[in-house]
C-alpha cells in the first residue's frame, strides 16, 4: 500500500506541475531487487507506466513481460548491467559481458515487446567502451546484431576504431579469448570459484598469454 501511495503521489506531482494528465507523461517503473518482489505480489501499476525489467546484475534478465503485460500502453524495457557495484559480488574491472550474451538477452526482451526503454549500467565508461557501443548499436539495429552475428562485433568495432584489418582480427581474437575466460568465472569472483590446481594453473597461463599478446 505504501508503494502504491508513493506512485500515485509522484503522478499527482507530475500532473500538477506539468499541467497535463499523468497518463500523457512518460514514466517508468524498475522492479529492481525488493521492488520486484512487491510487483510479483500484485502491485497495481498504472497502464501507461513503462515496465523496465532488471537483469540479475550479471547480464541475465530475471523476468520479462508476459503476454498480458506486453499489451500495456506504456510498453516494457530493460535495465542491464555491463558493470555492477554491490552485494554479493561486484564486477567493475574490464567489462566481461560479451556482445553475444548481451544480444541473446536483449533480443529476447525486444521480441517480448520490452523495447521502449533500454538502460545500461556502465560505471567506468572507458574500460567498457566496446560493450557500451555494442549496446547502442544493437538498440539502433537489432536485426543486424542478433546473437548469431554478435560474436563478430569485436572485429567490426576494432576495424572502425583502428582502420586496419589485420589489427582488427588480432583484437577480435583477444576479446574472444577474454570473454571465454570470463564466462568460466569473472576475475572479480575468483574467490568464490573452486578450481583444481591444474585448472588454476591453466587459467593463470591463459591470462598471462592473453596479457602478453595484448
Amino acid at each position: 500500500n505504501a508503494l502504491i501511495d508513493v506512485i500515485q503521489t509522484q503522478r499527482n506531482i507530475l500532473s500538477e506541475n506539468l499541467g497535463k494528465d499523468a497518463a500523457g507523461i512518460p514514466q517508468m517503473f524498475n522492479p529492481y531487487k525488493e521492488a520486484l518482489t512487491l510487483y510479483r505480489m500484485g502491485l497495481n501499476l498504472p497502464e501507461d507506466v513503462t515496465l523496465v525489467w532488471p537483469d540479475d546484475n550479471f547480464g541475465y534478465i530475471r523476468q520479462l513481460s508476459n503476454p498480458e503485460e506486453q499489451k500495456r500502453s506504456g510498453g516494457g524495457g530493460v535495465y542491464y548491467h555491463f558493470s555492477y557495484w554491490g552485494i554479493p559480488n561486484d564486477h567493475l574491472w574490464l567489462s566481461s559481458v560479451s556482445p553475444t550474451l548481451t544480444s541473446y538477452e536483449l533480443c529476447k526482451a525486444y521480441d517480448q515487446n520490452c523495447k521502449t526503454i533500454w538502460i545500461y549500467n556502465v560505471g567506468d565508461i572507458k574500460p567498457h567502451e566496446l560493450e557500451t557501443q555494442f549496446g547502442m548499436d544493437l538498440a539502433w539495429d537489432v536485426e543486424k546484431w542478433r546473437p548469431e552475428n554478435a560474436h563478430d562485433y569485436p572485429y567490426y568495432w576494432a576495424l572502425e576504431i583502428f582502420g586496419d584489418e589485420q589489427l582488427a582480427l588480432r583484437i577480435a581474437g583477444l576479446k574472444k579469448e577474454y570473454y571465454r575466460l570470463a564466462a568460466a568465472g569473472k576475475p572479480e569472483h575468483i574467490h568464490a570459484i573452486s578450481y583444481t590446481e591444474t585448472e588454476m594453473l591453466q587459467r593463470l597461463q591463459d591470462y598471462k598469454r592473453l596479457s602478453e599478446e595484448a
Side-chain angles (χ1 to χ4, degrees), residues 52-92:
V52 178
W53 298 103
D55 68 348
D56 64 350
N57 304 322
F58 308 113
Y60 297 89
I61 300 172
R62 301 172 66 187
Q63 181 174 327
L64 288 166
S65 298
N66 61 37
E68 198 60 35
E69 290 164 335
Q70 291 175 35
K71 300 174 185 177
R72 295 174 56 86
S73 60
V78 173
Y79 172 48
Y80 195 79
H81 287 80
F82 287 127
S83 65
Y84 173 66
W85 184 27
I87 57 174
N89 290 301
D90 306 323
H91 58 101
L92 299 169

Side-chain angles (χ1 to χ4, degrees), residues 24-213:
I25 303 169
Q27 299 156 68
M28 57 163 275
F29 177 76
N30 179 212
Y32 186 54
K33 294 193 174 180
E34 67 277 3
L36 180 58
T37 301
L38 294 173
Y39 178 77
R40 286 171 172 171
M41 291 170 62
L43 176 67
N44 185 20
L45 194 66
E47 167 79 11
D48 57 277
V49 176
T50 304
L51 267 173
V52 178
W53 298 103
D55 68 348
D56 64 350
N57 304 322
F58 308 113
Y60 297 89
I61 300 172
R62 301 172 66 187
Q63 181 174 327
L64 288 166
S65 298
N66 61 37
E68 198 60 35
E69 290 164 335
Q70 291 175 35
K71 300 174 185 177
R72 295 174 56 86
S73 60
V78 173
Y79 172 48
Y80 195 79
H81 287 80
F82 287 127
S83 65
Y84 173 66
W85 184 27
I87 57 174
N89 290 301
D90 306 323
H91 58 101
L92 299 169
W93 198 38
L94 294 178
S95 179
S96 51
V97 180
S98 72
T100 302
L101 173 59
T102 301
S103 177
Y104 182 82
E105 291 296 307
L106 291 179
C107 285
K108 184 168 57 178
Y110 184 90
D111 292 339
Q112 291 180 235
N113 201 30
C114 296
K115 54 189 177 182
T116 304
I117 301 172
W118 284 1
I119 299 172
Y120 303 125
N121 186 322
V122 180
D124 189 4
I125 293 174
K126 190 60 180 177
H128 298 77
E129 183 180 350
L130 184 155
E131 293 75 17
T132 304
Q133 185 174 328
F134 176 73
M136 298 295 187
D137 286 346
L138 177 66
W140 183 258
D141 190 349
V142 167
E143 299 307 324
K144 182 176 181 179
W145 295 115
R146 283 192 176 269
E148 58 269 26
N149 301 322
H151 68 281
D152 289 330
Y153 189 82
Y155 170 77
Y156 168 88
W157 177 86
L159 185 61
E160 182 182 54
I161 296 295
F162 298 104
D164 182 279
E165 185 173 346
Q166 291 305 311
L167 187 59
L169 284 169
R170 291 179 66 190
I171 291 170
L174 290 171
K175 291 298 288 187
K176 180 179 179 180
E177 175 66 359
Y178 180 77
Y179 291 134
R180 182 190 72 81
L181 289 168
K186 293 181 183 296
E188 299 93 339
H189 302 168
I190 201 71
H191 64 285
I193 302 172
S194 297
Y195 286 115
T196 65
E197 184 175 357
T198 301
E199 290 170 329
M200 180 179 64
L201 290 173
Q202 182 63 55
R203 186 174 174 90
L204 290 171
Q205 289 171 5
D206 289 343
Y207 269 116
K208 184 174 186 294
R209 185 166 53 250
L210 186 63
S211 177
E212 290 170 350
E213 176 64 16

